[in-house]
Amino acid sequence: MNSYTVRRVHISKTAQLDELAHECGQLYSQTLVFFWRTVRHKGIWLFPKHLKRLFTSKQLHAHTADACVEAFFAGLSSWRERRKMDRAARPPHKRKWYFRIEYKRSALSLKDGQLRLSNGRGNAPLMLEWPWELPQTVVIHWTGTQYEAIATYVLETQGEPRGERIAGIDLGEIHMAVSHDGTQTHILNGRLLRSKRQYRNKLIEHLDKRISRSKKGSRRRKKLIRSKHKQLRKLKQQIADIEHQQTTRLVSTLYREGVQTVVIGDVRAIRQNTDVGSTTNQKLHQWSAGSVRHKLTYKAQRLGMLVALQEEARTSKTCPQCGHKRKTAPKGRVFRCTNKKCGFIWHRDGVGAMNIRYKYRGEFGVPHVVAAMAPAAGIRHLPHTRVAREQSRENVCVGNCTDAAGL
Ligand SMILES: [Zn+2]
C-alpha cells in the first residue's frame, strides 16, 4: 500500500502569487454562486463535470482551474459527511477573494534545481527554487503570514515484512509506547516528553499572567504575546521531534525482529478486524489516534507491516499467566497478580501490550506460559544522536524488578 508524505516550503509574497490566488478565488466563488443559484432556481444539483466546462481561466493551467471547482465539491461532500453527526453543519457558502492554487503533476517540471509550475500556454510560469525531487502535486496557500507550498510525494512501501510475528502495543502517558511480540518487550520512555509537556503548561501559565498584567494595546503586551507564540512553537517542534525519533526507533526495532502485524491498543471500542479500504483505514487511524499512534501507524505501514487497532478493555487488569482478573487496576508501574497460586509480577505496561496481543489473537484471559520471555528493554531518547547503543546497556529491568527499565 502506498502512503503519502509532504514537504512544506515557505515562499515569499509576490504580485504574481497574489494574482494567481485571486484568480483561483474568483473561480471558486463563481462555482459556489452558480451551484447554489441552480439549486435554488431549478432544484438541480450540478456535478463537477458541468461546472468544470463552464468555469475556466485564461490565467491558469486547465488542471489548476479544475482543482478550484473540485475544491468546492470536496467541501460539499465533507459537509454531507459531517451532517450525519452534526445537525448544525453548514455547506460551503462563503465566497473567497483568494484561494489556494493547486498544481497537478501535468503542470510540474523540474530542471536544474528549479521547479516550473505551468500556468497554461502564454502565461508566465511560477518558478520555485527546488533542490529536491519532483513532487506529485503542489498546493500553494496563504498561512496568514506568508505563502506556503505543500508538495506531495507518493511513498512506495520500502520493505517487506521479514517475519510473521505479531506485536501488541500499549500507548500510555508514563511510557509513550510499550510493545510485546511474544518474547521481546520494548519500552519507549515517555519521561522527556512528559517533562516538555509540563514545562509547556507552566510556561503558558507564567506568560499569560505577565500578559494579563500588561496594559491592553501596549507595545509591551504585543511583544509578550509574540514571545509566547515563539516559545510555544519551539516546544511544539521539540515534542514532535521526540515523538518522531522514539516511534522510528520502536518501529525499526520491531521490523528487525520480524514483526509482521502491529496491534495498537485503542481506548475506544473500535474494532478493526474488517478492512474498510485503505483510505478509510488511514482516516480512522488518524482520527482516533493521538499523534504517537498516527506516527507508529504510518511508519510501520511504510515498512510493509500491517497495523490493526484493538479494543483494550481489561488488558491492564488481567494476568497474562493465569488469566485471573484483578478487581482494581494495579498501583504503580508494576503488575502483581492477586491470584495467590500465581503471583505473577511484571512491568505493568508490558502486561498491557501482552494482553492486547493476546486479545488480537483471540487468546485473552486464558493461562499462558510466559516463562520464556526476555526482560523488558527500554528504548531511550538520545537527543540528536543516531548511534546504535547496545540493547543490553539499556536493559535495567530483569523479570521481577520493581523499577522496570530504570524508569
Ligand atoms: Zn496470575
Side-chain angles (χ1 to χ4, degrees), residues 378 380 388-396:
R380 287 221 179 127
R389 292 223 173 155
E390 225 175 284
Q391 280 288 312
S392 61
R393 282 173 65 189
E394 294 170 359
N395 289 2
V396 186

Side-chain angles (χ1 to χ4, degrees), residues 318-324 335-339 341-344:
T318 305
C319 173
Q321 185 163 275
C322 69
H324 175 76
F335 176 93
R336 279 170 217 277
C337 181
T338 46
N339 176 4
K341 284 182 200 142
C342 169
F344 178 75

